[in-house]
Short mmCIF file of all heavy atoms in Angstrom, two decimals:
data_model
loop_
_atom_site.label_atom_id
_atom_site.label_comp_id
_atom_site.label_asym_id
_atom_site.label_seq_id
_atom_site.Cartn_x
_atom_site.Cartn_y
_atom_site.Cartn_z
N GLU A 19 15.47 13.32 3.60
CA GLU A 19 15.32 14.37 2.45
C GLU A 19 15.27 13.78 1.19
O GLU A 19 14.65 14.32 0.25
CB GLU A 19 16.48 15.36 2.71
CG GLU A 19 16.35 16.53 3.59
CD GLU A 19 15.05 17.25 3.22
OE1 GLU A 19 14.95 17.75 2.16
OE2 GLU A 19 14.34 17.50 4.25
N MET A 20 16.15 12.78 0.91
CA MET A 20 16.18 12.01 -0.38
C MET A 20 14.79 11.47 -0.74
O MET A 20 14.33 11.66 -1.89
CB MET A 20 17.23 11.00 -0.44
CG MET A 20 17.55 10.53 -1.84
SD MET A 20 18.99 9.34 -1.86
CE MET A 20 20.29 10.36 -1.35
N ALA A 21 14.17 10.88 0.18
CA ALA A 21 12.91 10.18 -0.06
C ALA A 21 11.82 11.35 -0.32
O ALA A 21 11.11 11.18 -1.29
CB ALA A 21 12.39 9.34 1.18
N GLN A 22 11.91 12.46 0.51
CA GLN A 22 10.88 13.56 0.22
C GLN A 22 11.08 14.18 -1.16
O GLN A 22 10.16 14.35 -1.88
CB GLN A 22 11.15 14.54 1.19
CG GLN A 22 10.65 14.10 2.61
CD GLN A 22 10.60 15.28 3.60
OE1 GLN A 22 10.49 16.41 3.29
NE2 GLN A 22 10.97 14.98 4.87
N ASN A 23 12.42 14.28 -1.61
CA ASN A 23 12.67 14.69 -2.89
C ASN A 23 12.10 13.86 -4.07
O ASN A 23 11.65 14.32 -5.08
CB ASN A 23 14.11 14.98 -3.07
CG ASN A 23 14.52 16.14 -2.28
OD1 ASN A 23 13.76 17.07 -1.95
ND2 ASN A 23 15.90 16.08 -2.00
N VAL A 24 12.21 12.53 -3.91
CA VAL A 24 11.75 11.61 -4.83
C VAL A 24 10.24 11.70 -4.96
O VAL A 24 9.53 11.84 -6.04
CB VAL A 24 12.12 10.08 -4.47
CG1 VAL A 24 11.45 9.10 -5.30
CG2 VAL A 24 13.65 9.97 -4.61
N LEU A 25 9.56 11.83 -3.76
CA LEU A 25 8.05 11.97 -3.76
C LEU A 25 7.63 13.25 -4.42
O LEU A 25 6.63 13.41 -5.14
CB LEU A 25 7.60 11.85 -2.45
CG LEU A 25 7.66 10.50 -1.72
CD1 LEU A 25 7.23 10.46 -0.18
CD2 LEU A 25 6.73 9.52 -2.51
N ARG A 26 8.31 14.36 -4.07
CA ARG A 26 8.02 15.67 -4.73
C ARG A 26 8.22 15.62 -6.25
O ARG A 26 7.43 16.12 -6.97
CB ARG A 26 8.86 16.78 -4.20
CG ARG A 26 8.58 17.29 -2.80
CD ARG A 26 9.48 18.42 -2.40
NE ARG A 26 9.45 18.63 -0.95
CZ ARG A 26 10.44 18.30 -0.16
NH1 ARG A 26 11.60 17.98 -0.46
NH2 ARG A 26 10.16 18.41 1.23
N GLY A 27 9.27 14.92 -6.67
CA GLY A 27 9.45 14.72 -8.11
C GLY A 27 8.28 13.83 -8.84
O GLY A 27 8.04 14.06 -9.84
N THR A 28 7.94 12.90 -8.04
CA THR A 28 6.74 12.16 -8.69
C THR A 28 5.52 13.03 -8.78
O THR A 28 4.68 12.58 -9.57
CB THR A 28 6.48 10.86 -7.62
OG1 THR A 28 7.70 10.25 -7.49
CG2 THR A 28 5.43 9.97 -8.14
N GLY A 29 5.32 13.86 -7.74
CA GLY A 29 4.19 14.70 -7.77
C GLY A 29 2.95 14.08 -7.01
O GLY A 29 2.99 12.91 -6.64
N LYS A 30 2.24 14.95 -6.42
CA LYS A 30 1.13 14.49 -5.55
C LYS A 30 0.10 13.38 -6.19
O LYS A 30 -0.02 12.36 -5.55
CB LYS A 30 0.20 15.70 -5.11
CG LYS A 30 -0.86 15.37 -4.08
CD LYS A 30 -1.56 16.65 -3.77
CE LYS A 30 -2.76 16.37 -2.86
NZ LYS A 30 -3.37 17.77 -2.47
N ASP A 31 -0.25 13.69 -7.46
CA ASP A 31 -1.15 12.66 -8.07
C ASP A 31 -0.38 11.43 -8.33
O ASP A 31 -1.05 10.29 -8.24
CB ASP A 31 -1.63 13.31 -9.44
CG ASP A 31 -2.58 14.55 -9.14
OD1 ASP A 31 -3.34 14.62 -8.02
OD2 ASP A 31 -2.75 15.30 -10.00
N GLY A 32 0.87 11.43 -8.60
CA GLY A 32 1.64 10.16 -8.88
C GLY A 32 1.69 9.40 -7.54
O GLY A 32 1.63 8.16 -7.60
N VAL A 33 1.99 10.10 -6.50
CA VAL A 33 2.04 9.33 -5.10
C VAL A 33 0.64 8.78 -4.84
O VAL A 33 0.62 7.46 -4.37
CB VAL A 33 2.62 10.22 -4.10
CG1 VAL A 33 2.69 9.48 -2.76
CG2 VAL A 33 4.07 10.74 -4.45
N ILE A 34 -0.36 9.46 -4.98
CA ILE A 34 -1.76 9.08 -4.68
C ILE A 34 -1.96 7.74 -5.56
O ILE A 34 -2.41 6.73 -5.05
CB ILE A 34 -2.72 10.13 -4.87
CG1 ILE A 34 -2.57 11.20 -3.88
CG2 ILE A 34 -4.20 9.48 -4.94
CD1 ILE A 34 -3.38 12.34 -3.96
N GLN A 35 -1.58 7.67 -6.75
CA GLN A 35 -1.80 6.53 -7.68
C GLN A 35 -0.97 5.37 -7.16
O GLN A 35 -1.43 4.23 -7.08
CB GLN A 35 -1.40 6.77 -9.10
CG GLN A 35 -1.84 5.74 -9.97
CD GLN A 35 -3.25 5.29 -9.94
OE1 GLN A 35 -4.21 6.12 -10.05
NE2 GLN A 35 -3.55 4.13 -9.74
N GLN A 36 0.27 5.70 -6.65
CA GLN A 36 1.03 4.62 -6.13
C GLN A 36 0.60 3.94 -4.81
O GLN A 36 0.67 2.75 -4.60
CB GLN A 36 2.55 5.06 -5.85
CG GLN A 36 3.36 5.43 -7.09
CD GLN A 36 4.73 5.79 -6.81
OE1 GLN A 36 5.14 5.98 -5.59
NE2 GLN A 36 5.49 6.21 -7.84
N VAL A 37 -0.03 4.85 -4.00
CA VAL A 37 -0.66 4.34 -2.76
C VAL A 37 -1.89 3.45 -3.12
O VAL A 37 -1.99 2.37 -2.58
CB VAL A 37 -1.13 5.56 -1.91
CG1 VAL A 37 -1.87 5.02 -0.77
CG2 VAL A 37 0.13 6.32 -1.41
N LEU A 38 -2.64 3.81 -4.07
CA LEU A 38 -3.88 3.10 -4.43
C LEU A 38 -3.42 1.73 -5.13
O LEU A 38 -3.95 0.77 -4.82
CB LEU A 38 -4.72 3.78 -5.52
CG LEU A 38 -5.39 5.19 -4.92
CD1 LEU A 38 -6.03 5.92 -5.96
CD2 LEU A 38 -6.26 4.73 -3.82
N ASP A 39 -2.31 1.76 -5.86
CA ASP A 39 -1.77 0.52 -6.45
C ASP A 39 -1.20 -0.30 -5.28
O ASP A 39 -1.39 -1.58 -5.44
CB ASP A 39 -0.60 0.90 -7.42
CG ASP A 39 -1.08 1.47 -8.72
OD1 ASP A 39 -2.35 1.56 -8.94
OD2 ASP A 39 -0.18 2.07 -9.41
N LYS A 40 -0.53 0.21 -4.31
CA LYS A 40 0.01 -0.57 -3.17
C LYS A 40 -1.23 -1.25 -2.37
O LYS A 40 -1.08 -2.32 -1.93
CB LYS A 40 0.75 0.39 -2.28
CG LYS A 40 1.38 -0.40 -1.09
CD LYS A 40 2.28 -1.47 -1.47
CE LYS A 40 3.63 -1.01 -1.81
NZ LYS A 40 4.55 -2.25 -2.03
N LYS A 41 -2.18 -0.44 -2.23
CA LYS A 41 -3.46 -0.86 -1.49
C LYS A 41 -4.03 -2.07 -2.33
O LYS A 41 -4.34 -3.15 -1.72
CB LYS A 41 -4.44 0.16 -1.44
CG LYS A 41 -5.70 -0.21 -0.57
CD LYS A 41 -6.69 0.90 -0.49
CE LYS A 41 -7.93 0.58 0.28
NZ LYS A 41 -8.82 1.68 0.49
N GLU A 42 -4.13 -2.09 -3.59
CA GLU A 42 -4.61 -3.08 -4.34
C GLU A 42 -3.81 -4.32 -4.35
O GLU A 42 -4.18 -5.47 -4.14
CB GLU A 42 -4.81 -2.75 -5.85
CG GLU A 42 -6.06 -1.97 -6.11
CD GLU A 42 -7.41 -2.58 -5.82
OE1 GLU A 42 -7.39 -3.84 -6.13
OE2 GLU A 42 -8.15 -2.02 -5.22
N GLN A 43 -2.37 -4.06 -4.24
CA GLN A 43 -1.47 -5.19 -4.14
C GLN A 43 -1.56 -5.87 -2.80
O GLN A 43 -1.55 -7.08 -2.77
CB GLN A 43 -0.08 -4.66 -4.25
CG GLN A 43 1.02 -5.68 -4.10
CD GLN A 43 2.38 -4.96 -4.03
OE1 GLN A 43 2.50 -3.78 -4.16
NE2 GLN A 43 3.48 -5.76 -3.82
N ILE A 44 -1.77 -5.10 -1.84
CA ILE A 44 -1.94 -5.65 -0.30
C ILE A 44 -3.22 -6.57 -0.35
O ILE A 44 -3.28 -7.67 0.19
CB ILE A 44 -2.13 -4.59 0.72
CG1 ILE A 44 -0.61 -3.99 0.80
CG2 ILE A 44 -2.54 -5.19 2.00
CD1 ILE A 44 -0.54 -2.62 1.63
N LEU A 45 -4.31 -6.01 -0.84
CA LEU A 45 -5.57 -6.60 -0.83
C LEU A 45 -5.65 -7.91 -1.63
O LEU A 45 -6.49 -8.78 -1.45
CB LEU A 45 -6.92 -5.75 -1.12
CG LEU A 45 -7.01 -4.47 -0.14
CD1 LEU A 45 -8.10 -3.59 -0.79
CD2 LEU A 45 -7.51 -5.01 1.19
N ASN A 46 -4.88 -7.97 -2.68
CA ASN A 46 -5.02 -9.13 -3.72
C ASN A 46 -3.89 -10.12 -3.36
O ASN A 46 -3.75 -11.13 -4.15
CB ASN A 46 -4.83 -8.62 -5.13
CG ASN A 46 -6.13 -7.92 -5.43
OD1 ASN A 46 -7.24 -8.26 -5.11
ND2 ASN A 46 -5.94 -6.80 -6.32
N ALA A 47 -3.03 -9.90 -2.38
CA ALA A 47 -1.93 -10.76 -2.05
C ALA A 47 -2.52 -12.04 -1.59
O ALA A 47 -3.60 -12.11 -0.88
CB ALA A 47 -0.96 -10.12 -1.04
N PRO A 48 -1.77 -13.22 -1.75
CA PRO A 48 -2.35 -14.50 -1.30
C PRO A 48 -2.68 -14.64 0.24
O PRO A 48 -3.59 -15.18 0.64
CB PRO A 48 -1.27 -15.48 -1.78
CG PRO A 48 -0.47 -14.89 -2.85
CD PRO A 48 -0.63 -13.34 -2.58
N GLU A 49 -1.68 -13.99 0.91
CA GLU A 49 -1.85 -14.09 2.37
C GLU A 49 -3.10 -13.41 2.93
O GLU A 49 -3.59 -13.61 4.00
CB GLU A 49 -0.51 -13.66 3.08
CG GLU A 49 -0.14 -12.24 2.78
CD GLU A 49 0.88 -12.16 1.70
OE1 GLU A 49 0.98 -13.14 0.85
OE2 GLU A 49 1.54 -11.10 1.44
N SER A 50 -3.59 -12.36 2.08
CA SER A 50 -4.77 -11.69 2.67
C SER A 50 -6.00 -12.48 2.30
O SER A 50 -7.06 -12.20 2.88
CB SER A 50 -4.84 -10.30 1.84
OG SER A 50 -5.19 -10.44 0.51
N LYS A 51 -5.85 -13.41 1.42
CA LYS A 51 -7.06 -14.26 1.21
C LYS A 51 -7.29 -15.34 2.29
O LYS A 51 -8.36 -15.96 2.34
CB LYS A 51 -6.94 -15.04 -0.10
CG LYS A 51 -6.74 -13.95 -1.33
CD LYS A 51 -7.93 -13.14 -1.64
CE LYS A 51 -7.60 -12.28 -2.77
NZ LYS A 51 -8.37 -11.10 -2.84
N ARG A 52 -6.17 -15.66 3.04
CA ARG A 52 -6.29 -16.76 3.99
C ARG A 52 -7.16 -16.41 5.12
O ARG A 52 -7.26 -15.17 5.52
CB ARG A 52 -4.91 -17.12 4.45
CG ARG A 52 -4.22 -18.10 3.47
CD ARG A 52 -2.92 -18.52 4.05
NE ARG A 52 -1.96 -17.59 3.74
CZ ARG A 52 -0.77 -17.28 4.37
NH1 ARG A 52 -0.39 -18.07 5.44
NH2 ARG A 52 0.09 -16.38 4.02
N GLU A 53 -7.75 -17.44 5.85
CA GLU A 53 -8.59 -17.10 7.01
C GLU A 53 -7.73 -16.65 8.10
O GLU A 53 -6.56 -17.20 8.29
CB GLU A 53 -9.45 -18.33 7.28
CG GLU A 53 -10.47 -18.13 8.37
CD GLU A 53 -11.27 -19.27 8.49
OE1 GLU A 53 -11.70 -20.05 7.47
OE2 GLU A 53 -11.65 -19.68 9.70
N SER A 54 -8.23 -15.71 8.91
CA SER A 54 -7.47 -15.23 10.01
C SER A 54 -7.38 -16.25 11.16
O SER A 54 -8.26 -17.10 11.31
CB SER A 54 -8.13 -13.96 10.64
OG SER A 54 -7.44 -13.67 11.80
N THR A 55 -6.23 -16.35 11.76
CA THR A 55 -5.99 -17.49 12.80
C THR A 55 -6.23 -16.80 14.33
O THR A 55 -5.83 -17.42 15.19
CB THR A 55 -4.65 -18.04 12.79
OG1 THR A 55 -3.70 -17.04 12.83
CG2 THR A 55 -4.47 -18.73 11.41
N PHE A 56 -6.58 -15.42 14.32
CA PHE A 56 -6.72 -14.75 15.51
C PHE A 56 -8.21 -14.49 15.89
O PHE A 56 -8.98 -14.27 14.88
CB PHE A 56 -5.91 -13.47 15.56
CG PHE A 56 -4.51 -13.50 15.51
CD1 PHE A 56 -3.75 -13.56 14.34
CD2 PHE A 56 -3.83 -13.56 16.73
CE1 PHE A 56 -2.44 -13.72 14.35
CE2 PHE A 56 -2.46 -13.72 16.74
CZ PHE A 56 -1.76 -13.88 15.56
N ASN A 57 -8.65 -14.82 17.03
CA ASN A 57 -10.06 -14.75 17.43
C ASN A 57 -10.04 -14.07 18.79
O ASN A 57 -9.04 -14.17 19.47
CB ASN A 57 -10.78 -15.95 17.50
CG ASN A 57 -10.86 -16.60 16.06
OD1 ASN A 57 -11.13 -15.97 15.17
ND2 ASN A 57 -10.68 -17.88 16.01
N ARG A 58 -11.20 -13.49 19.05
CA ARG A 58 -11.45 -12.88 20.45
C ARG A 58 -11.50 -14.03 21.46
O ARG A 58 -12.26 -14.91 21.21
CB ARG A 58 -12.62 -11.99 20.45
CG ARG A 58 -12.35 -10.74 19.71
CD ARG A 58 -13.69 -9.84 19.90
NE ARG A 58 -13.49 -8.54 19.14
CZ ARG A 58 -13.03 -7.54 19.63
NH1 ARG A 58 -12.84 -7.41 20.85
NH2 ARG A 58 -12.99 -6.36 18.93
#
């Protein structure tokens, strides 16, 4: 409930922007630039 209240307080557009920022953070992280070590 506390987390839901924080998100409601942030507002839908604010949360959407935070998700987009998090996505950019994930895609630009150094570990995402490394070559994958898993293959079929």
Side-chain angles (χ1 to χ4, degrees):
E19 274 300 314
M20 192 176 291
Q22 288 186 35
N23 289 336
V24 169
L25 291 174
R26 284 186 199 110
T28 304
K30 181 178 173 180
D31 293 333
V33 174
I34 289 172
Q35 186 58 50
Q36 287 180 5
V37 171
L38 295 174
D39 293 344
K40 179 61 79 175
K41 183 177 180 180
E42 283 299 314
Q43 178 187 359
I44 292 167
L45 292 175
N46 292 322
E49 57 270 14
S50 71
K51 304 290 185 214
R52 282 187 271 161
E53 193 173 317
S54 175
T55 59
F56 290 90
N57 294 318
R58 288 183 185 264

